[in-house]
């Protein structure tokens, strides 16, 4: 039976936390109780009790939701599924494999390494959990090589609510409730029910080794021309190599930080499916794209850019080896599992003071335009953008299989880069200026001349863009009539039909959920 933690319980202030301390936005929005579920049966019972009481259920597995969709639940019930973290396999560690919805990604990599030396192509934040990450199309350092984790899922355990208001546990697959199965692979589980486990008939091998390299630039020596050349060199390489199989082992991130941070950096890692990395030429080719941009000629004191002195430490991409190119390109070899998990750990309970944050996103199908790069330079040069990072991750490769757009709910299968705008700060007093800064930057970049007037302020209506990423929800986009196309693309009518069938009473809803 689920353990209930009501507002009167001394555990409630911690139990009801979000990892983004902007939420809940006020005491009036605080939930009435948290239900800690230990297994799928607990989930079904707690969900039924919530429905029978006429309350709204929201679901939390790690607390990483970027908007107020979980803990802002006035007098409702937060169903916490973090304890559903079983990692299972067949005999002797062989397939099939199972990941509980509450499994932290860090634990998933550890467990799958021990069981069968296999992996999922997921993200690198240890405490993000499988439920939201996988069902929303989560990606990571192996995406270009192995595709998305949803591409490997073969069955999903989920609890839905039928037309009679009854909680119904289901196992869905391509032969059982196939439309729901497709919707849960990219359309976010929180739109349709509560996912309790993912099943995989097979998984790809865990890489043995990663080779790392990076390049750092000093903002004090940055000019608009240099900045534009850096950004367009990176984008051109990603566009050119995305279809090339020999470049699928590359994951890279260009971290555009504000001038106040002092430095800007590009990091990359190269892996192969099996054995040590023997040929590093594709990694060196990427590093060589920046020779004309004159990176630092000496190794900087820190290999990790400081985002803001008031910002808690957080990870941006793979750990670098030597963080600057000078003379011969230095690269560092590490075991892949080390490069993914080293110095990371985490708890399923949100401990300590969390930061305040805002996020935005964009899929890009081709290189940055010169006008777009100039807009980034102007915005990031402003002192008001202290604490802002625009992470430009490599994408494409195996992800861009058009057939997977038909059997999953991820329509963005043509992009070569994926952008995450991140702003972090500590105090409520900084909310207004920090939110204004990230919004102004986003609006400036996506109001360049080749974006149609009706789509300005959004990455849409231009051949360079493929919309936004639903796992990085941004409620600011609700002001645009085309917001559903931004996030769900052409799959939205399909998702609406699935919603009407499996959640006819719209039990599972938030501001950006699929509308019935």
């Amino acid at each position: 039976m689920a353990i209930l933690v009501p507002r009167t319980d001394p555990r409630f202030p911690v139990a009801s936390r979000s990892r983004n301390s902007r939420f809940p936005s006020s005491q009036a929005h605080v939930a009435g109780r948290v239900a800690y579920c230990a297994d799928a049966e607990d989930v079904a019972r707690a969900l039924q009790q919530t429905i029978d009481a006429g309350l709204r259920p929201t679901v939390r597995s790690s607390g990483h939701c970027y908007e107020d969709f979980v803990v802002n639940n006035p007098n409702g019930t937060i169903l916490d599924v973090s304890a559903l973290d079983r990692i299972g396999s067949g005999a002797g560690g062989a397939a099939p494999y199972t990941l509980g919805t509450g499994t932290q990604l860090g634990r998933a990599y550890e467990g799958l390494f021990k069981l069968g030396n296999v992996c999922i192509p997921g993200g690198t934040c240890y405490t993000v959990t499988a439920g939201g990450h996988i069902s929303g199309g989560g990606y990571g350092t192996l995406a270009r090589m192995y595709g998305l984790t949803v591409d490997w899922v073969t069955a999903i355990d989920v609890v839905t609510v039928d037309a009679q208001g009854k909680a119904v546990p289901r196992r869905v697959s391509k032969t059982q409730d196939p439309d729901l199965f497709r919707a849960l692979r990219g359309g976010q589980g929180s739109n349709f029910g509560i996912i309790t486990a993912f099943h995989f008939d097979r998984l790809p091998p865990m890489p043995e080794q990663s080779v790392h390299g990076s390049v750092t630039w000093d903002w004090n020596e940055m000019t608009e021309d240099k900045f534009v050349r850096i950004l367009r060199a990176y984008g051109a390489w990603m566009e050119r190599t995305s279809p090339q199989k020999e470049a699928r082992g590359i994951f890279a991130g260009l971290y555009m930080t504000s001038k106040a941070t002092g430095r800007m950096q590009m990091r990359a890692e190269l892996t192969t499916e099996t054995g040590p990395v023997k040929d590093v030429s594709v990694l060196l080719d990427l590093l060589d794209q920046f020779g004309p941009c004159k990176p630092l000629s000496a190794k900087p004191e820190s290999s990790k850019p400081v985002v803001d002195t008031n910002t808690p430490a957080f990870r941006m991409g793979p750990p670098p080896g030597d963080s600057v190119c000078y003379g011969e390109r230095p690269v560092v070899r590490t075991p892949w599992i080390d490069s993914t998990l080293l110095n990371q750990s985490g708890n399923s309970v949100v401990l300590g003071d969390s930061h305040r944050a805002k996020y935005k996103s964009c899929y890009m199908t081709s290189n940055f335009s010169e006008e777009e790069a100039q807009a980034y330079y102007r915005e990031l040069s402003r002192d008001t953008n202290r604490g802002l990072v625009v992470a430009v991750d490599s994408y494409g490769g195996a992800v861009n299989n058009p057939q997977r757009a038909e059997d999953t709910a991820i329509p963005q299968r043509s992009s070569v880069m994926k952008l995450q705008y991140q702003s972090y700060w500590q105090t409520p007093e900084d909310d207004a200026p920090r939110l204004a800064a990230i919004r102004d930057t986003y609006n400036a970049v996506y109001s360049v001349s080749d974006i149609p007037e009706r789509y300005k302020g959004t990455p849409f209506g231009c051949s360079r863009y493929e919309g936004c990423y639903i796992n990085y929800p941004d409620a600011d986009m609700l002001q645009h009539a085309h917001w559903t196309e931004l996030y769900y693309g052409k799959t939205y009518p399909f998702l609406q039909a699935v919603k009407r069938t499996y959640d006819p009473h719209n039990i599972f809803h938030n501001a950006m959920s699929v509308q019935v």
Side-chain angles (χ1 to χ4, degrees), residues 8 18 22 25 49 65 69 86 122 151 204-206 212 277 295 304 323 412 461 470 483 496 513:
T8 54
S18 166
R22 289 175 57 212
S25 53
Q49 290 167 357
C65 184
F69 301 159
R86 176 178 174 270
D151 299 339
M206 181 173 286
H212 302 270
V277 179
K304 188 173 185 179
S323 65
Q412 296 93 352
I470 193 58
W483 78 266
Q496 286 181 298
S513 60

Side-chain angles (χ1 to χ4, degrees), residues 55 65 71 77 85 103 162 170 229 300 313 332 346 369 391 432 448 513:
L55 302 174
C65 184
V71 295
T77 302
D85 59 354
T103 307
D162 65 16
R170 305 171 183 270
R229 285 188 287 120
V332 172
S369 70
V448 292
S513 60

Side-chain angles (χ1 to χ4, degrees), residues 406-424:
E406 302 301 322
D407 69 355
T408 70
I410 300 289
Q412 296 93 352
R413 296 284 183 169
S414 301
S415 292
V416 299
M417 292 178 287
K418 199 167 185 174
L419 281 63
Q420 181 179 188
Y421 294 67
Q422 313 163 55
S423 185
Y424 299 90

Side-chain angles (χ1 to χ4, degrees), residues 241-400:
T241 64
S242 177
Q244 299 174 1
K245 289 188 176 181
E246 59 269 24
R248 288 192 173 183
I250 282 281
F251 177 82
L254 176 64
Y255 302 101
M256 295 190 286
T257 52
S258 67
K259 187 174 183 177
T261 66
R263 302 191 190 282
M264 194 168 84
Q265 190 174 72
M266 191 282 296
R267 308 179 199 174
E269 70 171 89
L270 174 65
T271 60
T272 58
E273 292 188 22
T274 57
V277 179
K278 297 178 180 178
D279 183 359
V280 299
S281 58
V282 67
L283 174 61
L284 298 180
D285 181 60
L286 171 58
L287 296 173
D288 285 342
Q289 303 306 304
F290 305 102
C293 301
K294 296 183 179 178
L296 295 173
S297 58
K299 184 177 179 179
E301 294 179 4
S302 172
S303 62
K304 188 173 185 179
V306 177
V307 177
D308 191 327
T309 55
N310 293 318
T311 299
F314 68 97
R315 182 164 176 191
M316 298 187 300
D322 201 331
S323 65
V324 66
C325 59
Y326 53 94
E328 293 298 318
R329 302 290 197 199
V331 294
V332 172
R333 296 175 182 268
T334 62
W336 183 86
I337 196 164
D338 280 3
S339 71
T340 303
L341 299 180
L342 192 64
N343 299 321
Q344 288 208 82
S345 61
N347 301 286
S348 59
V349 175
V350 181
L351 301 176
D353 293 330
S354 58
H355 55 253
R356 305 175 77 80
K358 177 65 178 176
Y359 307 88
K360 293 176 177 289
S361 67
C362 171
Y363 285 97
M364 293 195 69
T365 61
S366 59
N367 194 8
F368 300 92
S369 70
E370 184 170 350
E371 186 181 3
E372 201 172 25
Q374 290 168 342
Y376 277 117
Y377 176 78
R378 288 193 303 272
E379 294 301 315
L380 292 171
S381 296
R382 302 182 197 278
D383 187 63
T384 53
N385 268 325
R386 181 180 295 272
L388 176 64
V389 181
V390 183
V392 187
D393 288 340
S394 57
Y395 204 65
V399 174
N400 289 347

Side-chain angles (χ1 to χ4, degrees), residues 69-83:
F69 301 159
V70 178
V71 295
N72 271 31
N73 184 7
N75 200 40
T77 302
I78 299 172
L79 279 73
D80 186 292
V81 295
S82 59

Side-chain angles (χ1 to χ4, degrees), residues 37-40 81-91 94 96-104 107-109 111-112 115 129-131 134 157 171 196-200:
C37 302
D39 52 35
V81 295
S82 59
L84 279 70
D85 59 354
R86 176 178 174 270
I87 304 169
S89 72
Y97 298 97
T98 297
L99 291 179
T101 194
T103 307
Q104 294 182 344
R107 286 200 62 250
Y109 295 128
L112 293 171
L115 286 171
T129 50
I134 296 175
D157 294 340
R171 176 166 294 184
T196 57
F198 298 93
H199 302 277
F200 308 84

Side-chain angles (χ1 to χ4, degrees), residues 60-291:
R60 181 183 64 195
S61 53
S62 68
H64 281 276
C65 184
Y66 281 1
E67 284 290 355
D68 63 352
F69 301 159
V70 178
V71 295
N72 271 31
N73 184 7
N75 200 40
T77 302
I78 299 172
L79 279 73
D80 186 292
V81 295
S82 59
L84 279 70
D85 59 354
R86 176 178 174 270
I87 304 169
S89 72
Y97 298 97
T98 297
L99 291 179
T101 194
T103 307
Q104 294 182 344
L105 296 182
R107 286 200 62 250
Y109 295 128
E110 292 177 37
L112 293 171
F113 169 77
K114 294 173 183 176
L115 286 171
N117 199 27
V118 294
C119 66
I120 56 172
T124 56
C125 180
Y126 191 104
T127 57
V128 167
T129 50
H133 180 73
I134 296 175
S135 69
Y139 72 107
T141 63
L142 301 177
R144 280 169 60 114
M145 188 159 69
Y146 288 147
L148 303 175
T149 304
V150 292
D151 299 339
W152 295 83
V153 174
T154 50
I156 299 173
D157 294 340
V158 60
V159 182
T160 60
V161 179
D162 65 16
Q164 288 71 48
K166 300 300 181 185
V168 181
R170 305 171 183 270
R171 176 166 294 184
V172 301
S173 65
K174 64 181 180 181
T175 59
Q176 182 67 40
D177 298 306
D179 285 349
L180 180 57
F181 177 57
R182 178 188 174 190
L184 292 175
R185 290 178 297 142
Q188 283 206 324
S190 58
N191 274 313
F192 309 100
I194 304 177
I195 292 174
T196 57
F198 298 93
H199 302 277
F200 308 84
D201 283 349
R202 66 185 185 94
L203 283 172
M206 181 173 286
E208 178 180 327
Q209 188 181 74
S210 293
V211 181
H212 302 270
S214 52
V215 183
T216 300
W217 298 272
D218 190 334
W219 253 108
N220 291 326
E221 299 178 4
M222 191 69 71
T223 64
E224 181 178 282
D225 178 67
K226 180 177 177 179
F227 185 96
V228 169
R229 285 188 287 120
I230 290 170
L231 192 53
R232 284 176 53 77
Y234 180 84
W237 195 91
M238 292 304 159
E239 182 178 356
R240 173 170 58 85
T241 64
S242 177
Q244 299 174 1
K245 289 188 176 181
E246 59 269 24
R248 288 192 173 183
I250 282 281
F251 177 82
L254 176 64
Y255 302 101
M256 295 190 286
T257 52
S258 67
K259 187 174 183 177
T261 66
R263 302 191 190 282
M264 194 168 84
Q265 190 174 72
M266 191 282 296
R267 308 179 199 174
E269 70 171 89
L270 174 65
T271 60
T272 58
E273 292 188 22
T274 57
V277 179
K278 297 178 180 178
D279 183 359
V280 299
S281 58
V282 67
L283 174 61
L284 298 180
D285 181 60
L286 171 58
L287 296 173
D288 285 342
Q289 303 306 304
F290 305 102

Side-chain angles (χ1 to χ4, degrees), residues 469-486:
Y469 176 36
I470 193 58
N471 267 2
Y472 298 162
D474 173 17
D476 292 346
M477 296 297 100
L478 291 170
Q479 66 185 294
H480 302 285
H482 59 284
W483 78 266
T484 58
E485 294 178 87
L486 275 170

